[in-house]
Amino acid sequence: MSKISIPKVLSRKSNEFDADLAEKYKTQNAALSKILTTSDNPAKEKHIRTLVMCTHADRSSRFFWRMIRERSDLQVHSVLCWKFCYILHKILREGHVNSFIDANENINFLVTIMELYESIQGPYSQLVVQYCILLNKKINFHTVNAAFPGTLEFPNTTNVIREYGANMDSL
């Protein structure tokens, strides 16, 4: 019977896990860097799709929020902030269900951005403020009403009827 060195097996698995985690982080960071540019061009759908698919693979949007918090240029460039709001909206609509939990944990960051752009006069400032208000309401709504998916489309209305009853006025 051959002996297997347990620490080597564990370290090999942990190195593979770390490499996989680093690759996911690198992929998301590259997609986010390509989207968040100061040019006034729309974001490419393939980069947004990469971020959305990573939320499904990770079952959360924690990497996204970590990368966003590392960027200090959101407070300087209103175009970047507008693109951030757009990406966040797409992740909330199409991303994993747990993205709302992560967004609710980071709602103070969104409020801080909104308050900052309320005091700045710029071409996108009021748009960023209004978009932040919309995102804040969306996050709060879906936190309270977890039965509603991010897209607000229901393939089966029995879940909503079971949750809220036949009378939808309670919403």
Side-chain angles (χ1 to χ4, degrees):
M1 199 177 221
S2 65
K3 283 188 164 184
I4 298 175
S5 176
I6 293 175
K8 287 182 181 178
V9 172
L10 288 177
S11 66
R12 182 176 64 220
K13 287 183 181 178
S14 106
N15 287 340
E16 290 172 4
F17 179 74
D18 290 343
D20 185 43
L21 199 62
E23 185 63 32
K24 282 183 189 177
Y25 186 75
K26 189 186 297 182
T27 303
Q28 289 186 39
N29 196 19
L32 192 64
S33 295
K34 289 178 182 177
I35 294 171
L36 293 181
T37 60
T38 56
S39 64
D40 197 2
N41 297 327
K44 291 186 179 178
E45 285 298 318
K46 67 180 182 179
H47 301 307
I48 295 173
R49 189 171 41 249
T50 299
L51 292 173
V52 169
M53 294 307 293
C54 286
T55 65
H56 286 286
D58 297 339
R59 293 189 171 102
S60 74
S61 60
R62 287 190 185 116
F63 275 136
F64 169 76
W65 282 104
R66 185 180 304 156
M67 290 183 296
I68 288 296
R69 287 186 167 278
E70 289 174 359
R71 295 187 68 102
S72 61
D73 51 356
L74 285 177
Q75 290 89 9
V76 179
H77 298 289
S78 56
V79 174
L80 288 180
C81 199
W82 171 258
K83 289 181 179 181
F84 155 70
C85 291
Y86 180 74
I87 297 166
L88 178 60
H89 195 192
K90 286 290 235 182
I91 287 175
L92 292 175
R93 287 191 63 180
E94 301 167 8
H96 194 269
V97 177
N98 291 342
S99 296
F100 283 106
I101 296 169
D102 298 330
N104 196 27
E105 291 172 359
N106 291 287
I107 202 150
N108 289 335
F109 179 77
L110 194 63
V111 170
T112 303
I113 294 280
M114 181 183 68
E115 290 172 350
L116 174 72
Y117 278 98
E118 280 179 338
S119 63
I120 296 175
Q121 297 298 323
Y124 284 90
S125 297
Q126 288 305 310
L127 294 173
V128 169
V129 169
Q130 292 302 316
Y131 213 159
C132 287
I133 291 170
L134 171 81
L135 291 172
N136 194 352
K137 287 180 180 180
K138 183 173 182 66
I139 292 167
N140 289 332
F141 175 80
H142 287 287
T143 302
V144 172
N145 303 299
F148 287 90
T151 58
L152 296 176
E153 296 176 0
F154 293 102
N156 188 358
T157 58
T158 57
N159 293 341
V160 179
I161 293 172
R162 188 178 322 126
E163 180 82 19
Y164 296 99
N167 186 4
M168 299 297 274
D169 293 335
S170 63
L171 299 175

